[in-house]
Amino acid sequence: MSSPFLALSAIEYALGPKSILHGIDLTLEQGRIYGLVGPNGSGKSTLLKIIARQAAPKSGTIAFNGRAAGDWGAREFARHVAYMPQFTPATDGMTVRELVSLGRFPWHGTLGRFKATDRNMVEEAIARTELEDFADRLVANMSGGERQRAWIAMMLAQNARCLLLDEPTSALDLAHQASVLSLVKELSHERGLTVVIVLHDINLAARYCDAIVALNRGRITAEGTPAEIMQADKLQSIFGVGMGVFPHPVRNEPVSYLL
């Protein structure tokens, strides 16, 4: 049996005296989309930062492709894992093409030449995210949904095997939420990408993710397929409020609602 793409064991994390994550054990397979859900303050973003090596756990182990996280150099790691934080950095004066080109940095470094291969990867990423008409537009002047697609294009140009997305739909309207998450799902299945995505809306997680991991007070409280998680009793235990579930009238997938 092959090793999982990502394995976390007994992860603990604290900020000063405050414990944030407790005993996190998680195994993620290649080519699947995992939704991290749970109430505010449950540790979702912190867990994503630890996977992205943006934060170091107090204890526990992390392995990528069977290799300890510490054995990966920074550039080698960036060639495999791409991270988009909840609040993306400022892009003042930067065009879409310039932003997407940053995705090639792990491959050529600061002093390396930007080669034809790099240019091709950038243009392919722009085309795949349907941003050709925006390639020379300033990122700062685009709508929220267009900006999110530009960041995803940068991650595609990075050619990473794993995408880590922290609440990419939090500031988007319904149409752009569906557009961004549909794109992520298509890319995952087309390229065999492992995707971990923090979402507040459990219905979005159920629709677009292959598996759901629920956190509450820094612990994993439930893990399974959307059908397994979208049960009234499980949802109440995850979110602490009464919830009901009914089948979608068109797609027949489970949809939750507050009681």
Side-chain angles (χ1 to χ4, degrees):
M1 183 177 178
S2 61
S3 299
F5 179 76
L6 173 64
L8 293 86
S9 178
I11 295 295
E12 303 278 340
Y13 183 80
L15 279 177
K18 184 178 181 181
S19 184
I20 306 296
L21 296 175
H22 321 272
I24 298 293
D25 296 314
L26 187 61
T27 299
L28 305 181
E29 302 295 336
Q30 187 72 34
R32 306 193 75 206
I33 304 177
Y34 295 85
L36 293 184
V37 304
N40 288 343
S42 59
K44 303 182 297 295
S45 293
T46 299
L47 179 56
L48 201 70
K49 287 179 182 177
I50 287 173
I51 296 173
R53 301 208 317 187
Q54 301 293 308
K58 179 181 177 182
S59 61
T61 62
I62 306 175
F64 293 88
N65 271 357
R67 290 173 56 195
D71 292 344
W72 295 78
R75 279 182 59 187
E76 183 185 16
F77 182 79
R79 292 175 179 179
H80 286 78
V81 179
Y83 169 62
M84 186 169 76
Q86 181 178 355
F87 302 105
T88 52
T91 55
D92 296 344
M94 189 177 294
T95 67
V96 169
R97 183 174 282 108
E98 289 168 341
L99 173 63
V100 177
S101 296
L102 293 179
R104 299 305 300 161
F105 179 80
W107 297 91
H108 59 68
T110 304
L111 301 177
R113 291 180 57 195
F114 197 79
K115 301 178 182 178
T117 301
D118 299 303
R119 285 191 292 273
N120 290 339
M121 293 291 290
V122 168
E123 295 306 318
E124 179 184 340
I126 289 172
R128 185 59 191 83
T129 51
E130 299 181 354
L131 289 171
E132 297 101 322
D133 292 342
F134 300 88
D136 298 314
R137 184 175 298 185
L138 293 177
V139 177
N141 293 343
M142 298 167 69
S143 72
E146 292 160 354
R147 281 197 303 271
Q148 294 297 65
R149 294 177 81 88
W151 282 97
I152 292 171
M154 186 195 75
M155 299 170 89
L156 286 184
Q158 192 171 331
N159 203 29
R161 297 173 57 201
C162 178
L163 308 184
L164 307 175
L165 309 171
D166 193 354
E167 296 190 41
T169 61
S170 60
L172 304 183
D173 60 31
L174 290 175
H176 283 110
Q177 287 180 11
S179 173
V180 167
L181 292 177
S182 293
L183 173 63
V184 170
K185 186 171 184 176
E186 290 170 8
L187 293 169
S188 173
H189 294 167
E190 283 174 14
R191 303 188 179 202
L193 304 179
T194 300
V195 180
V196 186
I197 181 168
V198 173
L199 290 168
H200 269 299
D201 189 329
I202 185 66
N203 289 322
L204 287 177
R207 179 170 182 180
Y208 292 102
C209 297
D210 300 306
I212 295 174
V213 178
L215 281 81
N216 199 332
R217 297 183 180 180
R219 300 182 187 276
I220 294 178
T221 57
E223 184 179 355
T225 65
E228 292 168 339
I229 298 298
M230 296 289 279
Q231 307 285 339
D233 56 341
K234 283 197 175 182
L235 293 174
Q236 181 164 4
S237 69
I238 293 167
F239 295 102
V241 294
M243 300 184 73
V245 180
F246 67 93
H248 191 283
V250 177
R251 297 186 305 273
N252 205 39
E253 63 196 27
V255 178
S256 68
Y257 59 93
L258 289 173
L259 292 176

